[in-house]
Amino acid sequence: MKNYSLTKLKPVYFFASGAALTILLFALIFGFQSSTQNSNEQNQNSSQLIITQPEIPDEVYLFGEKLPLDNFEVYERLDRELIVNAYWHSATILALKRANRWFPVIEPILKKNNIPADFKYLAVAESNLENVISPAGATGFWQFIKSAAIEYGLEVNDEVDERYDVEKSTEAACRYIKDAYQKFGSWTMAAAAYNAGMNGIDKWSSIQKTNNYYNLVLGIETSRYISRVAALKIIMENPKKYGFNLSEKDLYPPLKYKEVVLDSSVTDFANYAASLGINYKTLKLYNPWLRDTSLKNKNGKKYVIKIPEEGSIKLIGEN
Protein backbone atom coordinates (compact mmCIF):
# COMPACT_ATOMS: atom_id res chain seq x y z
CA MET A 1 0.00 0.00 0.00
CA LYS A 2 1.38 3.38 -1.06
CA ASN A 3 1.59 6.18 1.44
CA TYR A 4 -0.03 9.47 0.17
CA SER A 5 0.83 12.57 2.12
CA LEU A 6 -1.86 15.04 3.22
CA THR A 7 -0.38 17.74 0.98
CA LYS A 8 -0.82 15.55 -2.04
CA LEU A 9 -4.43 14.75 -1.12
CA LYS A 10 -5.53 18.41 -0.64
CA PRO A 11 -5.67 19.48 -4.31
CA VAL A 12 -7.65 16.39 -5.25
CA TYR A 13 -10.00 16.89 -2.32
CA PHE A 14 -10.67 20.54 -3.00
CA PHE A 15 -11.09 19.94 -6.74
CA ALA A 16 -13.67 17.23 -6.07
CA SER A 17 -15.41 19.42 -3.51
CA GLY A 18 -15.45 22.41 -5.88
CA ALA A 19 -16.87 20.34 -8.72
CA ALA A 20 -19.56 18.98 -6.44
CA LEU A 21 -20.47 22.47 -5.26
CA THR A 22 -20.59 23.74 -8.84
CA ILE A 23 -22.88 20.90 -9.89
CA LEU A 24 -25.07 21.55 -6.86
CA LEU A 25 -25.22 25.27 -7.65
CA PHE A 26 -26.22 24.64 -11.26
CA ALA A 27 -28.84 22.19 -10.08
CA LEU A 28 -30.28 24.74 -7.67
CA ILE A 29 -30.31 27.50 -10.29
CA PHE A 30 -31.88 25.27 -12.94
CA GLY A 31 -34.40 23.99 -10.43
CA PHE A 32 -35.30 27.54 -9.39
CA GLN A 33 -35.68 28.65 -13.00
CA SER A 34 -37.74 25.59 -13.82
CA SER A 35 -39.90 26.18 -10.74
CA THR A 36 -40.31 29.88 -11.61
CA GLN A 37 -41.20 29.02 -15.19
CA ASN A 38 -43.77 26.47 -14.04
CA SER A 39 -45.16 28.99 -11.56
CA ASN A 40 -45.42 31.67 -14.28
CA GLU A 41 -47.13 29.21 -16.61
CA GLN A 42 -49.57 28.31 -13.84
CA ASN A 43 -50.24 31.99 -13.16
CA GLN A 44 -50.80 32.62 -16.87
CA ASN A 45 -53.12 29.67 -17.10
CA SER A 46 -54.92 30.90 -13.99
CA SER A 47 -55.29 34.39 -15.52
CA GLN A 48 -56.64 32.96 -18.74
CA LEU A 49 -59.34 31.14 -16.82
CA ILE A 50 -61.02 34.42 -15.79
CA ILE A 51 -61.34 35.71 -19.38
CA THR A 52 -64.89 34.78 -20.28
CA GLN A 53 -67.48 35.69 -22.87
CA PRO A 54 -69.65 38.60 -21.64
CA GLU A 55 -73.24 37.47 -21.39
CA ILE A 56 -75.57 38.78 -24.08
CA PRO A 57 -79.14 39.20 -22.81
CA ASP A 58 -81.89 37.34 -24.67
CA GLU A 59 -83.65 40.63 -25.35
CA VAL A 60 -82.20 44.14 -25.50
CA TYR A 61 -84.18 47.37 -25.69
CA LEU A 62 -82.54 50.70 -26.41
CA PHE A 63 -84.55 53.96 -26.40
CA GLY A 64 -87.59 51.70 -25.93
CA GLU A 65 -86.90 50.00 -29.29
CA LYS A 66 -85.94 46.33 -29.53
CA LEU A 67 -82.67 45.25 -31.10
CA PRO A 68 -83.28 42.49 -33.70
CA LEU A 69 -80.80 40.06 -32.17
CA ASP A 70 -82.30 37.15 -34.08
CA ASN A 71 -80.36 38.54 -37.04
CA PHE A 72 -76.82 37.11 -36.86
CA GLU A 73 -75.09 40.30 -37.99
CA VAL A 74 -76.85 42.48 -35.41
CA TYR A 75 -76.09 39.88 -32.74
CA GLU A 76 -72.40 39.85 -33.66
CA ARG A 77 -72.24 43.64 -33.68
CA LEU A 78 -73.53 43.72 -30.11
CA ASP A 79 -71.24 40.84 -29.16
CA ARG A 80 -68.22 42.80 -30.40
CA GLU A 81 -69.11 45.93 -28.46
CA LEU A 82 -69.82 43.99 -25.26
CA ILE A 83 -66.41 42.33 -25.50
CA VAL A 84 -64.63 45.61 -26.28
CA ASN A 85 -66.23 47.58 -23.45
CA ALA A 86 -66.27 44.77 -20.86
CA TYR A 87 -62.53 44.33 -21.33
CA TRP A 88 -61.62 47.98 -21.93
CA HIS A 89 -61.36 48.24 -18.18
CA SER A 90 -59.90 51.70 -17.73
CA ALA A 91 -62.48 53.50 -19.88
CA THR A 92 -65.47 51.58 -18.51
CA ILE A 93 -64.40 52.04 -14.88
CA LEU A 94 -64.07 55.78 -15.47
CA ALA A 95 -67.49 55.87 -17.16
CA LEU A 96 -69.05 54.20 -14.11
CA LYS A 97 -67.31 56.59 -11.73
CA ARG A 98 -68.28 59.68 -13.72
CA ALA A 99 -71.85 58.54 -14.31
CA ASN A 100 -72.53 58.84 -10.57
CA ARG A 101 -71.73 62.54 -10.87
CA TRP A 102 -73.18 63.42 -14.27
CA PHE A 103 -76.20 61.18 -14.90
CA PRO A 104 -78.19 63.03 -12.19
CA VAL A 105 -77.48 66.23 -14.19
CA ILE A 106 -78.30 64.77 -17.63
CA GLU A 107 -81.34 62.62 -16.79
CA PRO A 108 -83.73 65.42 -15.69
CA ILE A 109 -82.94 67.40 -18.85
CA LEU A 110 -83.71 64.41 -21.06
CA LYS A 111 -86.94 63.81 -19.13
CA LYS A 112 -88.00 67.45 -19.40
CA ASN A 113 -87.53 67.28 -23.17
CA ASN A 114 -89.36 63.93 -23.52
CA ILE A 115 -86.20 62.21 -24.75
CA PRO A 116 -85.76 58.54 -23.73
CA ALA A 117 -83.45 58.22 -20.72
CA ASP A 118 -81.19 55.81 -22.63
CA PHE A 119 -79.81 58.77 -24.58
CA LYS A 120 -77.58 59.46 -21.58
CA TYR A 121 -75.47 56.56 -22.86
CA LEU A 122 -74.86 58.56 -26.04
CA ALA A 123 -72.85 60.99 -23.95
CA VAL A 124 -70.79 58.05 -22.68
CA ALA A 125 -70.25 56.78 -26.22
CA GLU A 126 -69.36 60.26 -27.45
CA SER A 127 -66.97 61.46 -24.75
CA ASN A 128 -66.92 59.01 -21.81
CA LEU A 129 -68.49 61.87 -19.82
CA GLU A 130 -65.50 64.14 -20.21
CA ASN A 131 -65.00 67.54 -21.86
CA VAL A 132 -62.81 66.25 -24.67
CA ILE A 133 -62.01 67.61 -28.14
CA SER A 134 -61.96 65.29 -31.16
CA PRO A 135 -59.44 65.63 -34.02
CA ALA A 136 -62.29 67.18 -36.06
CA GLY A 137 -62.92 69.79 -33.35
CA ALA A 138 -66.07 68.25 -31.87
CA THR A 139 -66.13 69.39 -28.26
CA GLY A 140 -67.63 68.59 -24.88
CA PHE A 141 -69.72 65.77 -23.45
CA TRP A 142 -71.97 65.77 -26.52
CA GLN A 143 -69.22 66.38 -29.09
CA PHE A 144 -70.73 69.32 -30.96
CA ILE A 145 -68.81 70.80 -33.86
CA LYS A 146 -68.87 74.60 -33.79
CA SER A 147 -71.42 75.14 -36.57
CA ALA A 148 -73.93 72.66 -35.11
CA ALA A 149 -73.45 74.08 -31.62
CA ILE A 150 -74.31 77.59 -32.81
CA GLU A 151 -77.24 76.27 -34.86
CA TYR A 152 -78.67 74.62 -31.76
CA GLY A 153 -78.35 77.66 -29.54
CA LEU A 154 -74.93 77.46 -27.89
CA GLU A 155 -72.59 80.43 -27.61
CA VAL A 156 -69.17 79.61 -29.02
CA ASN A 157 -66.36 82.17 -29.21
CA ASP A 158 -62.88 82.81 -27.80
CA GLU A 159 -64.20 83.78 -24.37
CA VAL A 160 -67.25 81.56 -23.93
CA ASP A 161 -67.83 78.04 -25.27
CA GLU A 162 -71.05 76.54 -23.99
CA ARG A 163 -70.21 73.14 -25.48
CA TYR A 164 -68.28 72.73 -22.21
CA ASP A 165 -71.42 73.48 -20.16
CA VAL A 166 -73.00 70.10 -19.42
CA GLU A 167 -76.52 71.43 -18.82
CA LYS A 168 -76.62 73.73 -21.84
CA SER A 169 -75.00 71.24 -24.19
CA THR A 170 -77.45 68.55 -23.05
CA GLU A 171 -80.32 70.92 -23.86
CA ALA A 172 -78.81 71.48 -27.32
CA ALA A 173 -78.39 67.73 -27.82
CA CYS A 174 -82.07 67.25 -26.95
CA ARG A 175 -83.08 69.79 -29.60
CA TYR A 176 -81.00 67.95 -32.20
CA ILE A 177 -82.34 64.53 -31.22
CA LYS A 178 -85.93 65.83 -31.40
CA ASP A 179 -85.36 67.16 -34.90
CA ALA A 180 -83.81 63.87 -35.99
CA TYR A 181 -86.69 61.88 -34.50
CA GLN A 182 -89.25 64.02 -36.30
CA LYS A 183 -87.36 63.48 -39.54
CA PHE A 184 -86.85 59.70 -39.29
CA GLY A 185 -89.62 58.54 -36.93
CA SER A 186 -87.28 56.30 -34.94
CA TRP A 187 -85.14 56.95 -31.87
CA THR A 188 -82.55 54.50 -33.18
CA MET A 189 -82.30 56.40 -36.46
CA ALA A 190 -82.17 59.67 -34.51
CA ALA A 191 -79.22 58.32 -32.51
CA ALA A 192 -77.49 57.19 -35.71
CA ALA A 193 -78.05 60.67 -37.13
CA TYR A 194 -76.44 62.14 -34.03
CA ASN A 195 -73.29 60.26 -35.00
CA ALA A 196 -73.36 60.58 -38.79
CA GLY A 197 -75.45 63.73 -39.25
CA MET A 198 -79.03 63.96 -40.48
CA ASN A 199 -77.95 64.65 -44.04
CA GLY A 200 -75.72 61.59 -44.08
CA ILE A 201 -78.40 59.24 -42.76
CA ASP A 202 -81.00 60.78 -45.08
CA LYS A 203 -78.70 60.27 -48.09
CA TRP A 204 -77.93 56.62 -47.39
CA SER A 205 -81.52 55.87 -46.41
CA SER A 206 -82.68 57.26 -49.75
CA ILE A 207 -80.05 55.43 -51.82
CA GLN A 208 -80.63 52.09 -50.06
CA LYS A 209 -84.41 52.53 -49.92
CA THR A 210 -84.80 51.73 -46.24
CA ASN A 211 -85.60 53.70 -43.13
CA ASN A 212 -84.49 50.90 -40.78
CA TYR A 213 -81.08 51.47 -39.21
CA TYR A 214 -80.31 47.73 -39.08
CA ASN A 215 -80.83 47.39 -42.85
CA LEU A 216 -78.48 50.24 -43.72
CA VAL A 217 -74.93 49.77 -44.99
CA LEU A 218 -73.02 52.53 -43.18
CA GLY A 219 -69.48 53.52 -42.36
CA ILE A 220 -67.77 51.47 -39.66
CA GLU A 221 -68.20 54.10 -36.94
CA THR A 222 -71.95 54.57 -37.43
CA SER A 223 -72.57 50.85 -37.98
CA ARG A 224 -70.94 50.17 -34.60
CA TYR A 225 -72.49 53.17 -32.86
CA ILE A 226 -75.88 51.84 -31.76
CA SER A 227 -74.42 48.53 -30.61
CA ARG A 228 -71.79 50.40 -28.63
CA VAL A 229 -74.45 52.51 -26.90
CA ALA A 230 -76.45 49.34 -26.18
CA ALA A 231 -73.37 47.57 -24.79
CA LEU A 232 -72.60 50.51 -22.51
CA LYS A 233 -76.17 50.46 -21.23
CA ILE A 234 -76.02 46.70 -20.56
CA ILE A 235 -72.71 46.93 -18.68
CA MET A 236 -73.48 50.13 -16.76
CA GLU A 237 -76.86 48.84 -15.60
CA ASN A 238 -75.27 45.56 -14.42
CA PRO A 239 -71.62 46.40 -13.68
CA LYS A 240 -70.90 43.55 -11.24
CA LYS A 241 -72.28 41.02 -13.70
CA TYR A 242 -69.55 42.13 -16.10
CA GLY A 243 -66.75 42.17 -13.54
CA PHE A 244 -66.81 45.81 -12.38
CA ASN A 245 -66.99 45.57 -8.60
CA LEU A 246 -67.02 49.22 -7.57
CA SER A 247 -68.27 50.31 -4.18
CA GLU A 248 -70.06 53.56 -3.42
CA LYS A 249 -66.86 55.16 -2.16
CA ASP A 250 -65.19 54.49 -5.51
CA LEU A 251 -67.71 56.63 -7.42
CA TYR A 252 -67.27 60.35 -8.05
CA PRO A 253 -69.83 62.30 -6.00
CA PRO A 254 -72.05 64.98 -7.54
CA LEU A 255 -70.66 68.50 -7.25
CA LYS A 256 -72.49 70.69 -4.76
CA TYR A 257 -72.58 74.31 -5.80
CA LYS A 258 -74.42 77.59 -5.58
CA GLU A 259 -75.00 80.04 -8.40
CA VAL A 260 -74.17 83.71 -8.80
CA VAL A 261 -75.15 85.94 -11.71
CA LEU A 262 -72.45 87.68 -13.72
CA ASP A 263 -73.80 90.47 -15.97
CA SER A 264 -70.71 92.65 -16.38
CA SER A 265 -67.26 92.40 -17.84
CA VAL A 266 -64.39 90.79 -15.93
CA THR A 267 -60.84 91.99 -16.52
CA ASP A 268 -59.16 89.28 -14.45
CA PHE A 269 -60.84 86.00 -13.51
CA ALA A 270 -58.18 85.22 -10.91
CA ASN A 271 -59.20 88.35 -8.97
CA TYR A 272 -62.88 87.62 -9.62
CA ALA A 273 -62.47 84.09 -8.23
CA ALA A 274 -60.76 85.46 -5.13
CA SER A 275 -63.69 87.84 -4.59
CA LEU A 276 -65.94 84.75 -4.49
CA GLY A 277 -63.73 83.03 -1.92
CA ILE A 278 -62.25 80.50 -4.35
CA ASN A 279 -59.24 80.34 -6.66
CA TYR A 280 -58.91 80.58 -10.44
CA LYS A 281 -58.56 76.81 -10.96
CA THR A 282 -61.72 76.06 -8.96
CA LEU A 283 -63.63 78.69 -10.93
CA LYS A 284 -62.59 76.98 -14.18
CA LEU A 285 -63.33 73.47 -12.87
CA TYR A 286 -66.91 74.45 -12.04
CA ASN A 287 -67.31 76.66 -15.13
CA PRO A 288 -65.21 75.08 -17.91
CA TRP A 289 -67.17 77.05 -20.52
CA LEU A 290 -65.20 80.17 -19.49
CA ARG A 291 -62.38 79.90 -22.02
CA ASP A 292 -60.28 82.99 -21.32
CA THR A 293 -58.76 84.86 -18.38
CA SER A 294 -61.22 87.73 -18.86
CA LEU A 295 -64.70 88.46 -20.23
CA LYS A 296 -65.65 91.56 -22.22
CA ASN A 297 -69.45 91.07 -22.07
CA LYS A 298 -70.14 94.38 -23.81
CA ASN A 299 -73.91 93.75 -23.94
CA GLY A 300 -74.26 92.91 -20.26
CA LYS A 301 -75.44 89.35 -20.91
CA LYS A 302 -76.37 87.43 -17.78
CA TYR A 303 -74.18 84.39 -17.15
CA VAL A 304 -74.69 81.95 -14.30
CA ILE A 305 -71.47 81.16 -12.45
CA LYS A 306 -71.22 78.07 -10.27
CA ILE A 307 -69.14 78.10 -7.12
CA PRO A 308 -68.77 75.20 -4.68
CA GLU A 309 -70.96 75.16 -1.61
CA GLU A 310 -68.96 76.19 1.40
CA GLY A 311 -67.32 73.14 2.95
CA SER A 312 -68.26 70.81 0.06
CA ILE A 313 -64.65 70.60 -1.19
CA LYS A 314 -61.22 71.20 0.30
CA LEU A 315 -59.47 74.13 -1.34
CA ILE A 316 -55.69 74.00 -1.59
CA GLY A 317 -54.09 76.89 0.27
CA GLU A 318 -51.11 78.92 -0.90
CA ASN A 319 -47.66 78.09 0.51
Side-chain angles (χ1 to χ4, degrees):
M1 185 176 201
K2 294 184 180 179
N3 184 23
Y4 291 97
S5 69
L6 184 60
T7 56
K8 288 181 179 179
L9 286 171
K10 276 183 179 178
V12 177
Y13 171 78
F14 285 119
F15 174 80
S17 300
L21 286 171
T22 302
I23 292 169
L24 179 61
L25 182 60
F26 273 111
L28 288 171
I29 292 171
F30 178 80
F32 175 76
Q33 289 175 337
S34 177
S35 174
T36 302
Q37 184 177 356
N38 290 336
S39 176
N40 289 337
E41 288 175 354
Q42 289 172 357
N43 288 335
Q44 288 173 359
N45 291 334
S46 176
S47 297
Q48 289 172 357
L49 291 175
I50 66 169
I51 300 174
T52 58
Q53 165 67 44
E55 181 180 326
I56 300 178
D58 293 333
E59 290 186 337
V60 176
Y61 286 85
L62 186 64
F63 322 122
E65 298 172 358
K66 188 177 180 181
L67 273 68
L69 295 180
D70 51 351
N71 177 276
F72 83 96
E73 191 267 342
V74 176
Y75 180 92
E76 289 175 10
R77 266 197 259 177
L78 179 60
D79 184 38
R80 173 181 180 171
E81 299 308 320
L82 271 173
I83 292 169
V84 168
N85 290 282
Y87 287 102
W88 191 3
H89 299 139
S90 57
T92 305
I93 287 172
L94 285 170
L96 290 164
K97 286 172 170 281
R98 292 168 181 160
N100 192 63
R101 172 173 293 166
W102 295 113
F103 277 1
V105 176
I106 293 170
E107 287 168 341
I109 298 172
L110 295 174
K111 185 176 182 180
K112 181 184 73 173
N113 286 280
N114 296 314
I115 303 292
D118 285 351
F119 273 89
K120 65 192 175 189
Y121 298 109
L122 251 72
V124 183
E126 290 287 338
S127 65
N128 215 35
L129 301 176
E130 188 178 14
N131 272 321
V132 293
I133 305 174
S134 78
T139 299
F141 276 38
W142 293 94
Q143 289 289 280
F144 275 101
I145 61 171
K146 184 176 181 180
S147 58
I150 293 171
E151 180 183 354
Y152 281 89
L154 298 178
E155 182 178 351
V156 181
N157 54 52
D158 292 339
E159 292 186 327
V160 171
D161 190 339
E162 291 179 335
R163 292 177 293 178
Y164 291 93
D165 185 308
V166 177
E167 288 93 338
K168 289 187 176 181
S169 64
T170 302
E171 290 280 5
C174 287
R175 290 190 285 272
Y176 185 99
I177 293 164
K178 277 183 179 179
D179 285 351
Y181 179 73
Q182 288 175 0
K183 185 176 184 64
F184 298 109
S186 158
W187 292 116
T188 301
M189 286 285 277
Y194 195 89
N195 178 257
M198 280 187 263
N199 290 338
I201 294 297
D202 193 35
K203 172 187 173 182
W204 292 115
S205 180
S206 177
I207 290 172
Q208 298 174 36
K209 297 180 175 57
T210 179
N211 200 36
N212 186 319
Y213 167 81
Y214 298 102
N215 283 332
L216 283 170
V217 178
L218 298 164
I220 184 66
E221 182 181 345
T222 310
S223 69
R224 291 181 62 180
Y225 190 70
I226 299 300
S227 294
R228 185 182 180 205
V229 175
L232 288 167
K233 174 188 175 180
I234 292 166
I235 294 168
M236 295 180 75
E237 287 186 347
N238 303 277
K240 290 188 177 180
K241 185 175 182 179
Y242 293 91
F244 296 94
N245 294 301
L246 302 179
S247 65
E248 189 68 27
K249 68 178 179 59
D250 297 322
L251 306 177
Y252 298 151
L255 299 176
K256 297 179 180 179
Y257 60 86
K258 58 184 180 180
E259 298 177 342
V260 297
V261 175
L262 173 62
D263 58 4
S264 61
S265 62
V266 175
T267 57
D268 187 325
F269 270 126
N271 289 336
Y272 176 77
S275 73
L276 297 173
I278 57 177
N279 54 42
Y280 179 83
K281 183 177 181 180
T282 303
L283 177 71
K284 289 301 187 85
L285 285 173
Y286 279 70
N287 305 275
W289 52 272
L290 293 171
R291 304 309 298 169
D292 206 345
T293 59
S294 61
L295 179 68
K296 295 184 180 69
N297 198 12
K298 294 178 180 179
N299 298 322
K301 182 177 177 178
K302 290 185 178 181
Y303 294 99
V304 175
I305 303 293
K306 296 174 184 173
I307 58 175
E309 281 187 5
E310 189 173 350
S312 65
I313 63 168
K314 177 68 175 177
L315 292 173
I316 302 170
E318 295 297 323
N319 293 333

